[in-house]
Amino acid sequence: MIKPYKLPLRAAQAEFTEKKSRFIGHISPVSSEEEALSFLRAIRARHREASHNVYAYRLKDGGICRHSDDGEPSGTAGMPLLEGFLKQDIFDFCCVATRYYGGIMLGAGGLVRAYARCGTAALEASGVGVMREMTLCAAAVPYPLYETVKRLLMAGGAEIRSEDFGVDVRLRFAVISDNVPALRASLTELTAGTVGVSTEGTQLSASP
């Protein structure tokens, strides 16, 4: 069972101008280094006329963490971009900070602040989610208990995936793996043991 961890919810971008330089922070959830590099290539292609495409990415699987200043003075871009994600303990992301130089030097401190802001703004636009292990479950529910059982499942945080109406109602749902024992106990108590829960594997799912 994996320990829950934080990651961006969706691809997003945020833009601002600092002393006539245009900064665009792009972010995407990724699950592998190949996905991170593919996202980086796509942003570079889209902004091939930019002065710099600084990047940072971090993956839970394998503990991979990389960043690049992309031609900015050493230590003023890639690491400031990454640091905000490290402080919030965010994984499985690639963030690219695009800069179109506006003709005014920002200095080392100004660059550090601008690239840090790129990462923070992009993550805020994306939203932060939590990756959790979900257990896929099924239960055969007699019609008289259907509404009561469904309310219990939803109150317990279950995601109803399908409802098949036959001799009984066949519910398929996903529950945070840690919560399965408690939900099973509640369901047994509520239905006097007439409704049991079978499991059909697990999957990872990100949610707010």
Side-chain angles (χ1 to χ4, degrees):
M1 188 179 301
I2 70 155
K3 182 179 178 181
Y5 63 90
K6 295 187 289 184
L7 75 168
L9 275 175
R10 60 188 68 85
Q13 70 178 53
E15 181 175 338
F16 62 91
T17 300
E18 183 67 28
K19 293 183 179 179
K20 297 187 178 181
S21 278
R22 179 187 175 202
F23 287 89
I24 312 167
H26 316 264
I27 192 168
S28 179
V30 296
S31 59
S32 67
E33 190 163 24
E34 181 180 352
E35 284 187 17
L37 294 175
S38 178
F39 179 69
L40 173 58
R41 286 192 296 270
I43 299 301
R44 281 177 168 166
R46 190 189 312 167
H47 295 282
R48 57 173 54 90
E49 302 301 321
S51 310
H52 307 277
N53 283 295
V54 171
Y55 69 83
Y57 59 87
R58 187 187 190 200
L59 300 168
K60 186 71 172 176
D61 188 19
I64 296 170
C65 185
R66 308 196 196 286
H67 62 86
S68 168
D69 294 313
D70 193 38
E72 293 282 28
S74 180
T76 64
M79 193 62 211
L81 180 65
L82 175 64
E83 276 183 338
F85 295 94
L86 296 179
K87 287 177 181 176
Q88 294 191 58
D89 207 20
I90 307 290
F91 290 90
D92 287 0
F93 71 89
C94 181
C95 186
V96 184
T98 297
R99 181 191 183 191
Y100 286 89
Y101 180 54
I104 299 175
M105 302 289 286
L106 299 184
L111 287 173
V112 167
R113 289 188 294 272
Y115 281 109
R117 181 180 172 187
C118 265
T120 301
L123 184 60
E124 184 176 338
S126 167
V128 176
V130 179
M131 183 69 81
R132 298 180 176 92
E133 183 184 277
M134 307 287 286
T135 296
L136 306 177
C137 303
V141 183
Y143 280 89
L145 294 173
Y146 165 64
E147 292 292 347
T148 303
V149 168
K150 188 173 178 179
R151 282 196 297 270
L152 173 69
L153 293 177
M154 296 181 70
E159 299 173 5
I160 306 296
R161 299 291 176 86
S162 67
E163 301 174 72
D164 297 321
F165 296 88
V167 176
D168 292 314
V169 182
R170 182 76 173 177
L171 294 175
R172 285 187 167 82
F173 52 95
V175 184
I176 295 172
S177 294
D178 286 341
N179 296 346
V180 171
L183 192 62
R184 264 196 170 125
S186 296
L187 195 57
T188 298
E189 182 179 356
L190 178 71
T191 66
T194 59
V195 176
V197 175
S198 61
T199 58
E200 301 177 340
T202 61
Q203 66 178 201
L204 297 181
S205 178
S207 58

